[in-house]
Amino acid sequence: MLSDLPNLLPPYKLHGKYYWAVGDQTELWDALRRFTRSTLKTDHLPFSITKSGAPIKTAWESEEYDHLANFFLVFDIWMDLYQPGCRYSPDVELFFSYVATSKIGEIRRVTALGKNNIDDATRQAPLYNELIQAIRFKAREGRLSRKLATLRATVPEQERSIECYLRALSSRYKVLRFNRLDHFYEKSPFDVADGLERLPWGGKSREIIRQNNFNENWIDQPETRGRIDVKTIIGHRNAFFGTRDREEAYLGYLSKVERGGSHGAFHMHTLLIYDGSRVRDNQLEALADLDARLWGEITGGTGLSYNCKSRRDIGYLMQTNRWALDPLNEGDELALTRLVEYCRYFSDDKGQMPLVKPSQKSNLMTKGHFPKR
């Protein structure tokens, strides 16, 4: 009846504190996303309750959605992801608020449900059903689907904003040049202070900690904070674009913070835009190296960068008219249109939109001009 625990690494311990291990947050966020989809997109209940009170997993199957009974043992672990003060997508916000105040949440906050604890499972299964029903009712009452649709509706608006921005720059300068960099982080930091402390919310999280024999010299390392903490990467992003120690050739930028993809964590895509009359093509690589070095300094040595002009398939992209980072001359409408199409990447979701941001007003996609010295 009960699912196995996810394949989680033990939290890293140092000086009495526990830190998120590499990959744990990614796995928990993925499971929480699947739970909210199954809760809000289906109408099945996890368990049917017999006359004797015994819970039985309902006979429901889907190739697209998970059975909610599969999350019964572990759903309270996802509460470890909650960070006070952050803003979450409406479906995740609903989960956090209801688990924290539900009857089953009150129990799980204190006591873990063991896989073989049939008596406790029998008592908690009806409460888990109630939690699912309460979340669905509140979602309908609060018009959650409309709120989620509103979030998705910002994509066309962002696309128009990006196009207007690029067209304005192109009309103002005779030639623009570009670098495209991806900024991310080392998986594990050299200094544990660059990890993120894990605060167990409930009994299951504390049980995971107790069941592992920790020691101060454990060879594994915590995950770098910038990979899993949205406040950290947004702070690094703001510092990166806010520095005044840049050449006059720098004009503006596009930036997008995402989570997932090949990095499996927070990362940032950037388009750096230069005044082509102040910088030549053969200087762009050196400027990219300077920005990579700056990212490393701002992140305390944990940040890494990739220059997208190092791609091996640039020739193929040129042949198929998908390469858009050549110099843009004023009045070249074809090249400008290609650049605008290329930059749709900065507004498209592609399944990597983070479920959390530091505050209501925080923007994960930004554009702007570099400050002058």
Side-chain angles (χ1 to χ4, degrees):
M1 181 179 66
L2 302 182
S3 301
D4 291 330
L5 278 172
N7 183 26
L8 299 177
L9 293 172
Y12 177 79
K13 180 183 180 184
L14 185 66
H15 304 318
K17 292 183 178 181
Y18 297 96
Y19 295 83
W20 285 96
V22 174
D24 274 8
Q25 272 218 18
T26 298
E27 185 163 347
L28 293 187
W29 276 117
D30 178 66
L32 175 54
R33 189 193 296 265
R34 298 195 334 259
F35 169 88
T36 57
R37 289 181 69 248
S38 293
T39 300
L40 300 173
K41 297 291 186 179
T42 74
D43 59 1
H44 80 281
L45 284 176
F47 301 106
S48 59
I49 311 300
T50 66
K51 291 182 179 180
S52 64
I56 300 175
K57 183 177 179 180
T58 54
W60 180 88
E61 294 182 3
S62 170
E63 295 183 358
E64 185 176 0
Y65 300 104
D66 295 87
H67 197 296
L68 289 168
N70 295 340
F71 302 114
F72 180 46
L73 184 65
V74 300
F75 73 89
D76 50 299
I77 299 178
W78 305 330
M79 294 296 291
D80 288 8
L81 297 169
Y82 179 75
Q83 289 182 280
C86 288
R87 295 302 301 235
Y88 297 88
S89 63
D91 50 344
V92 172
E93 188 83 45
L94 192 59
F95 169 82
F96 284 145
S97 62
Y98 264 76
V99 171
T101 58
S102 66
K103 293 180 180 178
I104 194 171
E106 293 175 358
I107 296 172
R108 296 288 184 92
R109 186 72 189 265
V110 178
T111 306
L113 176 61
K115 184 179 179 181
N116 298 316
N117 194 333
I118 302 303
D119 289 340
D120 281 352
T122 299
R123 286 190 290 269
Q124 291 187 28
L127 299 180
Y128 185 54
N129 280 354
E130 289 180 9
L131 173 66
I132 301 300
Q133 291 173 314
I135 291 175
R136 286 172 174 162
F137 176 79
K138 186 62 178 179
R140 291 192 297 269
E141 183 183 58
R143 298 182 177 180
L144 182 66
S145 58
R146 179 176 296 182
K147 293 179 181 178
L148 294 172
T150 299
L151 289 178
R152 291 190 291 269
T154 61
V155 171
E157 180 182 339
Q158 290 179 348
E159 290 179 349
R160 289 191 294 271
S161 175
I162 289 172
E163 179 173 359
C164 289
Y165 175 70
L166 294 174
R167 287 188 176 279
L169 283 175
S170 178
S171 65
R172 194 178 307 161
Y173 295 91
K174 291 187 177 299
V175 59
L176 298 175
R177 302 185 198 276
F178 310 95
N179 271 329
R180 246 285 276 125
L181 301 179
D182 289 342
H183 301 293
F184 48 103
Y185 298 87
E186 295 273 10
K187 282 189 175 181
S188 296
F190 178 77
D191 187 347
V192 71
D194 290 317
L196 181 64
E197 186 177 0
R198 179 172 180 174
L199 303 175
W201 179 85
K204 179 61 70 175
S205 297
R206 292 190 294 274
E207 182 181 88
I208 292 173
I209 289 175
R210 286 196 303 269
Q211 287 177 350
N212 292 281
N213 296 317
F214 299 105
N215 60 75
E216 303 294 313
N217 299 314
W218 192 45
I219 60 173
D220 211 349
Q221 288 290 308
E223 187 158 14
T224 302
R225 187 190 310 123
R227 286 172 52 89
I228 54 178
D229 180 30
V230 69
K231 294 180 181 179
T232 297
I233 189 170
I234 293 298
H236 289 160
R237 178 197 69 184
N238 294 344
F240 179 79
F241 291 117
T243 183
R244 296 179 180 275
D245 190 23
R246 279 191 169 93
E247 301 294 331
E248 291 296 324
Y250 283 85
L251 293 178
Y253 60 86
L254 294 175
S255 165
K256 183 183 183 184
V257 171
E258 293 181 333
R259 183 168 194 165
S262 60
H263 303 286
F266 281 118
H267 55 279
M268 182 172 72
H269 302 288
T270 62
L271 178 73
L272 302 168
I273 307 170
Y274 310 95
D275 181 351
S277 66
R278 293 175 176 268
V279 63
R280 298 185 299 275
D281 278 346
N282 61 6
Q283 296 174 301
L284 291 177
E285 185 174 356
L287 292 177
D289 290 342
L290 287 174
D291 281 312
R293 192 176 308 132
L294 175 62
W295 178 253
E297 292 172 357
I298 287 173
T299 59
T302 64
L304 303 173
S305 299
Y306 173 74
N307 186 348
C308 293
K309 289 188 174 180
S310 301
R311 294 177 59 143
R312 296 180 179 180
D313 61 347
I314 290 179
Y316 171 75
L317 294 175
M318 287 181 173
Q319 292 176 4
T320 56
N321 293 320
R322 287 187 290 169
W323 181 251
L325 299 182
D326 285 335
L328 175 62
N329 295 305
E330 183 182 11
D332 189 340
E333 182 62 29
L334 180 61
L336 176 57
T337 300
R338 189 181 303 131
L339 177 66
V340 169
E341 186 64 28
Y342 175 84
C343 289
R344 291 184 188 279
Y345 183 90
F346 288 89
S347 58
D348 194 4
D349 181 352
K350 292 187 178 179
Q352 296 187 49
M353 188 64 67
L355 301 177
V356 56
K357 58 183 185 177
S359 68
Q360 183 66 38
K361 295 183 178 180
S362 298
N363 291 315
L364 301 176
M365 194 286 288
T366 60
K367 64 184 188 305
H369 302 281
F370 286 102
K372 300 299 181 182
R373 289 184 174 183

